[in-house]
């Protein structure tokens, strides 16, 4: 065989094609048929030859190159599908007051007086949200909700579900997206688990997990054998309007052949909600499927569209959850967990108890204040509560059953892992370890976060592996130990592939796969990179907002360093990003004020290619980039709606008039802000002119 460094370009191209096919064949034998065709060493040699040729001829790297793949399948096994319209989540209500507050807000936004507000109420199924796209009436593709913006393409599996119409019955818009909940009935779930047990297969914890596990099968034949159902309940993109109210929309869905939950009901006013909630609550245990509450949606679609969204949740719908389930048990001990930001979280260790069908052994105690408030002591009998998916909590202590001599709990004033002082920031309830990066617990949690699903998502490098590598280190060939001290060390792991290969449960092939998985992630979208840093309050959604706003790593870094200065333009720009706000801006500023953090960031940036984010689509609005101030009383719409509308059109709405203001909208009795605008020569418009600008019809 010609050595890689002596191939001509034409020979190299042919050889890369041969290697791609050959390696793919061995991947399939190994991963799918569990029958390796060659030894690990031979396989590695094929991979190395492929890498060497690609390194010499980067232009020849094939779309199907083995270096672009990890194992037999892409990371999750499913391609990603972008939703044309984001899939929403819902805000929750737990009590009548929460629902009343929701209605009050919607009324205020819409400037409604006493006119009734009609709702549609639908039982909230505890299943798996999906989106189905139909073109010219034909089912084209379907995806899981994913992060709301992008889900997994599970089209082939959805086709196996009888309740998913392959063709819409009757006339429909050329393009329509339909959302619904895939679920498994309680009896089907029990039967499936019995069959799984008999076959020695893993059991599912509840019907929801069974539905999710069944839909996310790489082999559609397995999905086909699972009894899945679907209730349709919402619309995504539609190329033509189909209904004026949500109720009419549900009727259209039924007409097209979907199953709509038969318990759904139209309520002519919000006063009817409490009765419906009680009715469904009473029926709950007898229903054939699990529900965890009722979704209330404002019926009028024109009102829905005026209300719009805050973050990921609509202002026109709310999920009113059923009260949590409770049980009593014994508090055996209190463990202190150290999180990635150093927060010390007390975790109750409980005598195992069944709470509404789930075996609970641990519960959060939140923080030292909560323990003091409950005066909970080790040995106490406690009342436990579990609502939906959230971590169970201790809500009360039965003092009458307290054992003699039980002492008040003394919350540690030092980190139980590294021994550093634990301190409370002014105005905060949480005690934090002050050890920072020197605290092994914090380092470990940060590393776990760094490689997690929404972050670097490195295949083969999960929580367990990180903990092992971090705690034990890797014995190198030079007789030294390589420690994972920070995130950049993850990208130094490939240099220690041999040390990984000899670890128990690894071997040459897995170690080589890990190397490839790590290298595959050295190119990373900016949003994932920001999220991976684990800055407090910067979750996936905020990381995306930041990435879209700042577009490139270099720009983001420069702006964040500038934003460290309180009152700087960079700080106010950051705080003004819709969805960020001053508190999160401060959190970012604190992160960038710490030189060690900036050093870690730069160390990473040197090892990575951080991809620019796409510019926000909203920039096309009629008021794109304009700074708008509202003042005085608007007659035709309430202030929250005016603000939301301006933001939808691309504007930034601020409170004070300055030289940077582009437009001041004058309501009735506008005072000092109108004068200030006149002084500064800032453009002012009347409410009617504002409506014209926003493209709204004139009002009497
Ligand atoms: O059944 C459900 N889990 C459910 C989820 C029902 C709905 O009517 C929903 C939903 C999530 C979002 N509606 C929206 C807008």
């Amino acid at each position: 065989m010609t050595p890689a460094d002596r191939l001509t370009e034409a020979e190299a191209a042919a050889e890369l094609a041969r290697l791609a096919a050959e390696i793919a064949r061995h991947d399939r034998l190994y991963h799918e048929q569990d029958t390796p065709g060659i030894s690990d060493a031979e396989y590695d040699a094929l991979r190395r030859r492929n890498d060497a040729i690609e390194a010499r001829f980067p232009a020849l790297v094939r779309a199907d190159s083995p270096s672009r793949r990890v194992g037999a399948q892409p990371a999750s096994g499913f391609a990603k599908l972008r939703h044309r319209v984001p899939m929403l989540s819902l805000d929750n209500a737990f009590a009548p007051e929460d629902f009343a507050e929701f209605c009050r807000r919607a009324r205020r936004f819409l400037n409604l007086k006493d006119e009734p507000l009609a709702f549609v109420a639908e039982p909230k199924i505890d299943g798996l949200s999906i989106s189905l796209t139909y073109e010219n009436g034909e089912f084209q593709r379907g995806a899981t909700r994913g992060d709301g913006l992008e889900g997994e393409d599970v089209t082939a599996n959805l086709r196996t579900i009888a309740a998913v119409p392959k063709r819409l019955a009757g006339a429909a818009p050329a393009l329509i997206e339909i959302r619904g909940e895939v679920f498994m009935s309680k009896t089907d779930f029990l039967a499936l688990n019995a069959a799984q047990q008999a076959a020695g297969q893993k059991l599912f914890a509840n019907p929801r997990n069974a539905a999710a596990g069944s839909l996310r099968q790489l082999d559609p034949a397995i999905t086909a054998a699972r009894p899945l159902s679907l209730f349709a309940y919402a619309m995504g993109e539609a190329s033509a309007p189909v209904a004026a109210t949500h109720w009419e929309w549900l009727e259209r869905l039924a007409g097209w052949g979907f199953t709509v939950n038969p318990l759904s009901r139209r309520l002519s006013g919000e006063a009817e909600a409490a009765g419906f909630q009680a009715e469904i609550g009473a029926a709950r245990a007898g229903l054939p499927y699990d529900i965890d509450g009722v979704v209330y949606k404002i019926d009028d679609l024109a009102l829905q569209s005026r209300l719009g969204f805050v973050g990921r949740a609509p202002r026109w719908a709310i999920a009113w959850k059923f009260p949590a389930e409770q049980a009593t048990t014994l508090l055996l001990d209190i463990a202190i967990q150290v999180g990635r930001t150093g927060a010390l979280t007390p975790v109750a260790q409980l005598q195992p108890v069944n709470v509404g069908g789930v075996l609970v052994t641990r519960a959060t105690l939140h923080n030292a204040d909560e323990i003091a408030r409950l005066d909970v002591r080790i040995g106490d009998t406690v009342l436990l509560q579990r609502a939906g998916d959230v971590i169970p909590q201790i809500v009360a202590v039965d003092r009458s059953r307290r054992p003699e001599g039980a002492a008040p709990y003394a919350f540690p004033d030092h980190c139980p892992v590294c021994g550093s002082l634990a301190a409370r920031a002014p105005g905060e309830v949480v005690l934090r370890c002050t050890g920072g990066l020197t605290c092994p617990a914090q380092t470990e949690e940060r590393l776990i976060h760094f490689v997690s699903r929404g972050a670097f998502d490195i295949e083969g490098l999960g929580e367990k592996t990180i903990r092992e590598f971090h705690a034990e280190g890797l014995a190198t060939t030079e007789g030294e130990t390589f420690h994972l001290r920070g995130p950049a060390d993850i990208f130094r792991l490939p240099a220690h592939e041999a040390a990984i290969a000899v670890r128990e449960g690894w071997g040459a092939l897995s170690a080589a796969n890990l190397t490839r998985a790590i290298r595959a992630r050295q190119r990373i979208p900016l949003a994932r990179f920001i999220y991976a840093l684990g800055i407090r309050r910067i979750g996936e959604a905020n990381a995306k907002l930041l990435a879209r706003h700042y577009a490139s790593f270099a720009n983001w870094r420069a702006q964040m360093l500038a934003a460290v200065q309180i009152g700087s333009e960079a700080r106010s720009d950051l705080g003004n990003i819709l969805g960020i706000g001053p508190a999160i801006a401060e959190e970012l500023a604190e992160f960038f004020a710490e030189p060690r953090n900036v050093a870690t960031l730069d160390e990473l940036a040197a090892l990575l290619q951080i991809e620019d984010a796409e510019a926000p689509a909203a920039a096309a609005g009629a008021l794109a980039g304009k700074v708008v101030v509202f003042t005085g009383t608007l007659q035709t719409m309430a202030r929250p709606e005016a603000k939301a509308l301006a933001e939808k059109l691309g504007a930034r709405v601020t409170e004070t008039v300055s030289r940077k203001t582009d437009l001041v909208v004058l309501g009735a009795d506008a005072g000092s802000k109108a004068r200030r605008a006149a002084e500064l020569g800032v453009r002012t418009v009347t409410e009617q002119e504002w409506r014209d600008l926003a493209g709204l019809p004139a009002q009497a």
Side-chain angles (χ1 to χ4, degrees):
M1 200 175 347
T2 317
D5 56 2
R6 292 226 298 273
L7 292 170
T8 66
E9 186 157 349
E11 286 167 343
E15 183 66 353
L16 286 177
R18 183 187 74 83
L19 286 165
E22 177 84 335
I23 292 171
R25 186 168 71 82
H26 289 299
D27 282 342
R28 277 194 302 276
L29 286 172
Y30 182 89
H31 290 284
E32 289 167 23
Q33 286 144 37
D34 295 322
T35 48
I38 47 175
S39 71
D40 283 5
E42 288 168 306
Y43 178 87
D44 284 348
L46 291 177
R47 286 273 193 174
R48 273 200 304 275
R49 182 166 168 81
N50 189 76
D51 291 354
I53 300 173
E54 286 185 351
R56 258 193 82 206
F57 299 101
L60 296 182
V61 175
R62 302 166 58 87
D64 65 349
S65 164
S67 65
R68 294 193 174 193
R69 276 180 300 122
V70 179
Q73 277 105 22
S76 82
F78 293 102
K80 296 274 188 229
L81 251 185
R82 217 175 163 69
H83 303 301
R84 285 164 175 270
V85 173
M87 284 185 81
L88 311 173
S89 52
L90 294 168
D91 280 339
N92 292 325
F94 294 98
E97 306 81 71
D98 300 340
F99 182 73
E101 169 66 15
F102 163 79
C103 295
R104 204 181 59 74
R105 258 200 222 134
R107 283 183 170 279
R108 192 170 119 61
F109 188 101
L110 296 169
N111 229 0
L112 295 184
K113 300 286 171 313
D114 301 323
E115 51 272 59
L117 195 51
F119 281 88
V120 172
E122 308 163 354
K124 185 168 188 297
I125 311 294
D126 209 357
L128 176 78
S129 301
I130 50 123
S131 180
L132 307 166
T133 304
Y134 289 81
E135 285 170 16
N136 301 316
E138 295 281 353
F139 175 55
Q140 290 296 330
R141 58 196 165 270
T144 59
R145 179 174 182 281
D147 64 2
L149 299 176
E150 195 176 72
E152 289 171 327
D153 182 342
V154 287
T155 308
N157 298 345
L158 288 166
R159 281 192 198 283
T160 70
I161 300 178
V164 173
K166 307 302 162 300
R167 221 198 129 70
L168 300 179
L175 173 84
I176 189 143
E177 271 181 349
I178 285 151
R179 273 88 197 257
E181 199 83 358
V182 168
F183 65 97
M184 191 178 286
S185 77
K186 295 178 192 170
T187 39
D188 285 337
F189 160 70
L190 292 174
L192 172 62
N193 258 1
Q196 292 281 107
Q197 180 144 43
Q201 305 267 17
K202 80 168 204 181
L203 300 186
F204 294 104
N206 51 48
R208 199 174 92 86
N209 286 357
S214 300
L215 190 62
R216 299 182 67 256
Q217 286 287 339
L218 289 176
D219 178 1
I222 300 181
T223 309
R226 301 276 174 83
L228 294 173
S229 314
L230 169 81
F231 280 140
Y233 57 66
M235 173 170 45
E237 170 108 329
S239 59
V242 280
T245 64
H246 186 67
W247 189 250
E248 261 176 55
W249 162 244
L250 293 181
E251 289 173 338
R252 291 299 302 269
L253 284 174
W256 285 329
F258 289 96
T259 315
V260 172
N261 191 315
L263 297 173
S264 301
R265 188 177 305 165
R266 187 172 185 280
L267 310 178
S268 53
E270 60 234 58
E272 293 171 30
F276 189 75
Q277 191 73 12
E279 198 179 309
I280 298 295
R284 182 183 185 188
L287 294 178
Y289 43 79
D290 280 342
I291 61 173
D292 59 0
V294 177
V295 182
Y296 294 87
K297 298 178 180 176
I298 290 177
D299 191 28
D300 186 330
L301 297 186
L303 294 185
Q304 284 191 8
S305 112
R306 278 175 64 192
L307 283 159
F309 307 89
V310 235
R312 286 288 149 71
R315 288 195 190 86
W316 43 263
I318 192 157
W320 186 347
K321 298 289 187 74
F322 293 126
E325 315 209 50
Q326 298 188 329
T328 53
T329 189
L330 272 184
L331 175 64
L332 304 176
D333 199 2
I334 295 176
I336 301 290
Q337 260 178 11
V338 185
R340 117 180 105 76
T341 58
L344 304 190
T345 306
V347 181
Q349 314 288 307
L350 305 163
Q351 181 154 299
V353 62
N354 187 322
V355 193
V358 172
L359 196 68
V360 173
T361 57
R362 288 148 50 93
T364 178
L365 280 161
H366 299 293
N367 51 55
D369 280 13
E370 177 74 358
I371 295 180
R373 187 183 70 77
L374 291 164
D375 181 26
V376 62
R377 306 181 183 190
I378 292 165
D380 271 342
T381 298
V382 295
L383 181 65
L384 203 64
Q385 170 167 304
R386 188 184 68 86
D389 280 344
V390 297
I391 308 166
Q393 320 188 8
I394 289 178
V395 289
V397 172
D398 184 350
R399 299 281 171 87
S400 71
R401 293 163 73 179
R402 173 167 288 169
E404 225 169 293
Y409 180 73
F411 204 90
D413 52 9
H414 284 80
C415 171
V417 175
C418 74
S420 298
L421 198 67
R424 214 184 258 244
E428 280 204 26
V429 288
V430 176
L431 271 161
R432 282 176 205 281
C433 161
T434 55
L437 294 170
T438 63
C439 172
Q442 287 189 51
T443 306
E444 198 166 291
E445 297 304 323
R446 279 180 211 208
L447 288 169
I448 288 166
H449 173 78
F450 189 82
V451 299
S452 68
R453 208 155 124 82
F456 274 76
D457 193 17
I458 296 175
E459 177 117 6
L461 200 56
E463 172 169 345
K464 189 167 150 274
T465 307
I466 291 279
R467 288 198 196 282
E468 276 175 26
F469 286 8
H470 178 255
E472 297 164 24
L474 293 165
T476 66
T477 41
E478 295 84 50
E480 290 170 5
T481 307
F482 172 73
H483 288 285
L484 278 181
R485 291 212 169 82
D489 290 329
I490 305 256
F491 301 98
R492 301 188 176 110
L493 283 173
H496 304 287
E497 192 181 309
I500 295 171
V502 298
R503 290 182 70 89
E504 181 158 349
W506 282 83
L509 184 66
S510 311
N513 274 338
L514 180 61
T515 291
R516 251 179 314 275
I518 291 169
R519 296 221 166 110
R521 285 290 189 268
Q522 281 179 287
R523 243 189 115 81
I524 185 101
L526 179 59
R528 276 184 179 264
F529 177 79
I530 294 175
Y531 171 65
L533 297 173
I535 303 168
R536 274 176 63 202
R537 307 189 52 182
I538 306 299
E540 285 182 78
N542 285 338
K544 273 187 190 148
L545 290 177
L546 292 169
R548 290 213 188 107
H549 188 83
Y550 294 102
S552 74
F553 170 71
N555 183 41
W556 180 62
R557 181 187 182 282
Q559 291 301 315
M560 292 305 98
L561 284 172
V564 168
Q565 212 60 47
I566 299 170
S568 65
E569 195 174 317
R571 172 72 79 91
S572 103
D573 183 47
L574 173 61
N576 273 326
I577 298 174
L578 187 62
I580 296 288
I584 297 176
E586 190 177 333
E587 208 73 72
L588 281 156
E590 260 175 39
F591 179 89
F592 276 85
E594 169 60 60
R596 283 187 305 184
N597 288 336
V598 181
T600 305
L601 196 74
D602 291 343
E603 194 185 356
L604 278 169
L607 291 162
L608 302 170
Q609 284 172 275
I610 304 170
E611 294 168 10
D612 289 355
E614 285 165 38
L623 294 173
K626 298 274 190 275
V627 178
V628 176
V629 174
F630 291 95
T631 185
T633 313
L634 300 179
Q635 308 296 316
T636 65
M637 66 175 72
R639 194 68 77 77
E641 181 172 12
K643 180 167 186 278
L645 187 59
E647 283 167 351
K648 202 150 111 191
L649 296 168
R652 217 170 81 200
V653 178
T654 63
E655 288 297 324
T656 49
V657 178
S658 76
R659 261 170 235 292
K660 291 211 188 122
T661 310
D662 295 296
L663 185 69
V664 179
V665 181
L666 305 176
D669 304 320
S672 63
K673 291 185 193 178
R675 282 196 298 281
R676 179 101 179 109
E679 276 165 34
L680 294 173
V682 172
R683 180 178 172 207
T684 59
V685 293
T686 63
E687 182 170 352
Q688 186 52 54
E689 287 165 336
W690 151 248
R691 289 185 67 89
D692 293 343
L693 270 174
L696 293 173
Q699 280 215 340

